Amino acid sequence: MQLFFFYFFLLVCCGAVAVRAWAGCQRDRDKDHRPRENCTALGFSDVPRGFEPTTEVMLLPYNQFTSLSWSSFQIFTKIYEIDLTGNQVPDVPPSVAPVLPSLRVLRLGSNRLKSLPEGSFSACPALTELYLDNNGLHALSNHSFSGLSKLEILDLSNNHIAKLPELMLRPLLVFETLYLENNQIKVMPDDWFGPKEEVPYLYLSANPWACNCSLGYFHRYLGENEFNFYVRDGLIINNDAESVVSPTNRKRQRNKQERLTQKGL
Ligand SMILES: *[C@@H]1O[C@H](CO)[C@@H](O)[C@H](O)[C@H]1NC(C)=O
Ligand SMILES: *[C@@H]1O[C@H](CO)[C@@H](O)[C@H](O)[C@H]1NC(C)=O
Ligand SMILES: *[C@@H]1O[C@H](CO)[C@@H](O)[C@H](O)[C@H]1NC(C)=O
């Protein structure tokens, strides 16, 4: 009899946990047990209605969003993560109020972003991770990330950024990881990292860094923090301070190295 109740319990419990689909999305939980909807590649151009307001993770990658509306996520009062990777969002709408105060992770990689005006993320001031890779970003402002005092990870890789605004990193008080590979950056403004504690993970490779006196600050910073510079290849991450050396300079160094080796030094 006890066994019967045990099986009965299993049936009831696991029936409730089993995946339920809404609008074709899969409902489950993320690794930290947050209620998640997975609506990957279902052709949506807006957030479908009818989801549980308790949803905390909304995955909408590879859909047809042509704009981002903060308020359409407002029904999820505890929203933690929004994934809009691979949509066609052309800009981040300005907001004066923190519309999504609980949002921690925002993924907007592979969209059509071109610029990030001042206060672009005022709608979600609690962000800790922001992914903006593989867009057409070329214009950033000193205040693009203002208000994001909790931001730890910022991914700006694979864009067209040519100029680093002098004060861009100042609002980021607990910043840990910066991905800036594959842009058009030649110069780092003096004192760019400011007075903050060192940033432990920096990915600055594949930029045409100039090799002249304008790089004095960067050169010193690199010398003092060489163990914080990395390159990544898929999931493989390596410490490599030389990755930020411009290609011509790298060649010169290699030649020098070879000459020294030939000389048996
Ligand atoms: C979401 O669903 C897609 C396919 O439906 C799957 O490939 C992907 O791994 C899922 N994502 C997560 C985080 O479970
Ligand atoms: C950023 O602020 C500095 C100092 O106020 C100013 O000189 C610079 O022009 C600003 N840069 C941008 C891109 O707005
Ligand atoms: C160094 O090179 C950069 C990019 O080519 C240029 O903008 C800057 O003016 C140069 N600085 C000096 C001191 O020559």
Side-chain angles (χ1 to χ4, degrees):
M1 195 63 182
Q2 252 171 348
L3 207 60
F4 169 78
F5 276 116
F6 177 69
Y7 282 123
F8 183 72
F9 170 77
L10 262 190
L11 199 73
V12 170
C13 131
C14 301
V17 170
V19 174
R20 278 176 301 126
W22 180 262
C25 308
Q26 294 297 310
R27 187 169 175 82
D28 63 358
R29 287 179 181 263
D30 75 359
K31 64 174 177 14
D32 295 315
H33 219 61
R34 297 186 187 91
R36 171 169 72 182
E37 292 285 354
N38 183 350
C39 308
T40 299
L42 292 173
F44 294 126
S45 55
D46 200 352
V47 183
R49 283 162 194 272
F51 286 120
E52 296 276 345
T54 53
T55 304
E56 291 178 44
V57 178
M58 216 42 238
L59 305 183
L60 289 156
Y62 307 105
N63 278 286
Q64 307 287 331
F65 282 69
T66 52
S67 66
L68 165 61
S69 153
W70 301 116
S71 58
S72 60
F73 294 95
Q74 242 177 332
I75 57 155
F76 308 114
T77 52
K78 290 201 287 180
I79 189 80
Y80 174 89
E81 173 174 352
I82 297 173
D83 187 349
L84 280 168
T85 305
N87 279 273
Q88 294 151 40
V89 176
D91 47 32
V92 179
S95 167
V96 277
V99 186
L100 303 175
S102 60
L103 189 67
R104 295 302 173 113
V105 183
L106 178 60
R107 298 178 192 275
L108 281 171
S110 301
N111 274 277
R112 297 189 178 166
L113 302 176
K114 296 233 157 22
S115 64
L116 293 175
E118 290 191 12
S120 283
F121 301 96
S122 310
C124 40
L127 283 184
T128 57
E129 299 179 29
L130 177 55
Y131 299 89
L132 300 165
D133 49 297
N134 293 290
N135 275 281
L137 287 174
H138 54 85
L140 299 176
S141 121
N142 276 331
H143 307 291
S144 290
F145 306 106
S146 60
L148 298 185
S149 59
K150 295 178 178 157
L151 196 69
E152 293 171 7
I153 300 176
L154 176 60
D155 193 342
L156 290 166
S157 61
N158 302 307
N159 276 288
H160 307 307
I161 301 164
K163 203 163 178 290
L164 297 174
E166 285 161 53
L167 308 176
M168 190 184 94
L169 296 185
R170 298 299 162 91
L172 315 181
L173 304 177
V174 290
F175 198 41
E176 286 186 357
T177 306
L178 175 62
Y179 298 104
L180 260 181
E181 307 107 310
N182 217 350
N183 277 284
Q184 298 299 322
I185 306 162
K186 291 182 177 153
V187 176
M188 178 177 288
D190 280 346
D191 209 23
W192 195 55
F193 290 100
K196 67 169 54 62
E197 299 263 316
E198 60 185 79
V199 180
Y201 301 99
L202 292 167
Y203 297 79
L204 305 183
S205 63
N207 279 287
W209 293 109
C211 180
N212 64 20
C213 307
S214 296
L215 241 54
Y217 164 75
F218 185 26
H219 195 248
R220 275 194 307 281
Y221 188 90
L222 188 60
E224 285 161 18
N225 300 279
E226 58 179 319
F227 294 111
N228 297 347
F229 287 82
Y230 292 85
V231 289
R232 53 180 175 165
D233 181 7
L235 291 176
I236 302 167
I237 292 171
N238 281 306
N239 181 245
D240 184 0
E242 255 201 52
S243 63
V244 289
V245 175
S246 68
T248 47
N249 201 17
R250 188 183 271 253
K251 208 183 295 160
R252 215 175 294 145
Q253 280 196 347
R254 199 176 313 126
N255 289 344
K256 189 173 160 201
Q257 194 70 46
E258 277 160 14
R259 278 201 307 278
L260 291 176
T261 319
Q262 277 160 14
K263 279 187 196 158
L265 294 170

